[in-house]
Amino acid sequence: MPAEIERKYLVTGSEWSDASAPSVQIRQAYIANTPLASVRVRIKGTTSAFLTIKGADAALSRAEVETAITVAQAEELLTMRQGAVIEKSRFRVPFGGLMWEIDVFEGENAGLIIAEVEVPTADHAVELPPWVGQEVTGDARYYNANLASDPIRGA
């Protein structure tokens, strides 16, 4: 089964915005969030949508299966959600030979900014940009599924 290997950090500076590509608006919600897995529906911009199942382990690597669905299907699934709709702007920033994704949260998580970087292997060395702070990889409080039910407002 495909796995997602990523590290997460809280963002402490704004220098990343100078190197970012234009953002994409993301709305997502969780249809189910159990101790074993979460089922997410996500709408990116106005033209693409996905249904994703992720393993719930709080770890560097998690099982993940994603499939494209129509925006209309996603909108209907959003009505079946548990918790709030997560709203965020995602920016992509190259740094250290990797592509970082910076999520600037809105709505109930307004002010929270998280940087994520996918790595090819769990032991891949990651050069940290100057705008990241505390690593929160494996801290389940920062999983979007948990932010939908227990928001964290940024500092």
Side-chain angles (χ1 to χ4, degrees), residues 8 23-28 30 40 42-45 54 85-91 101-107 109 112-114 116 142-145 147:
K8 288 185 173 198
S23 69
V24 61
Q25 292 298 118
I26 295 175
R27 289 186 305 134
Q28 66 187 45
Y30 292 82
R40 174 186 77 201
R42 172 182 281 173
I43 301 171
K44 293 173 90 173
K54 281 190 178 191
V85 173
I86 299 287
E87 302 171 84
K88 58 188 177 181
S89 296
R90 173 164 286 171
F91 298 83
E101 293 181 334
I102 313 300
D103 287 342
V104 178
F105 288 82
E106 301 154 14
N109 292 286
L112 179 62
I113 305 175
I114 295 178
E116 298 179 354
Y142 292 96
Y143 285 3
N144 284 292
L147 292 173

Side-chain angles (χ1 to χ4, degrees), residues 71-150:
V71 172
Q73 290 170 324
E75 291 286 0
E76 187 171 339
L77 288 171
L78 282 177
T79 68
M80 300 177 206
R81 73 182 183 275
Q82 296 178 346
V85 173
I86 299 287
E87 302 171 84
K88 58 188 177 181
S89 296
R90 173 164 286 171
F91 298 83
R92 293 173 49 85
V93 180
F95 186 89
L98 297 170
M99 185 59 68
W100 290 74
E101 293 181 334
I102 313 300
D103 287 342
V104 178
F105 288 82
E106 301 154 14
E108 293 189 35
N109 292 286
L112 179 62
I113 305 175
I114 295 178
E116 298 179 354
V117 63
E118 286 196 30
V119 291
T121 62
D123 61 351
H124 186 86
V126 176
E127 179 184 354
L128 298 180
W131 34 263
V132 300
Q134 176 186 349
E135 183 170 9
V136 294
T137 302
D139 187 338
R141 294 176 300 167
Y142 292 96
Y143 285 3
N144 284 292
N146 294 330
L147 292 173
S149 60
D150 192 15

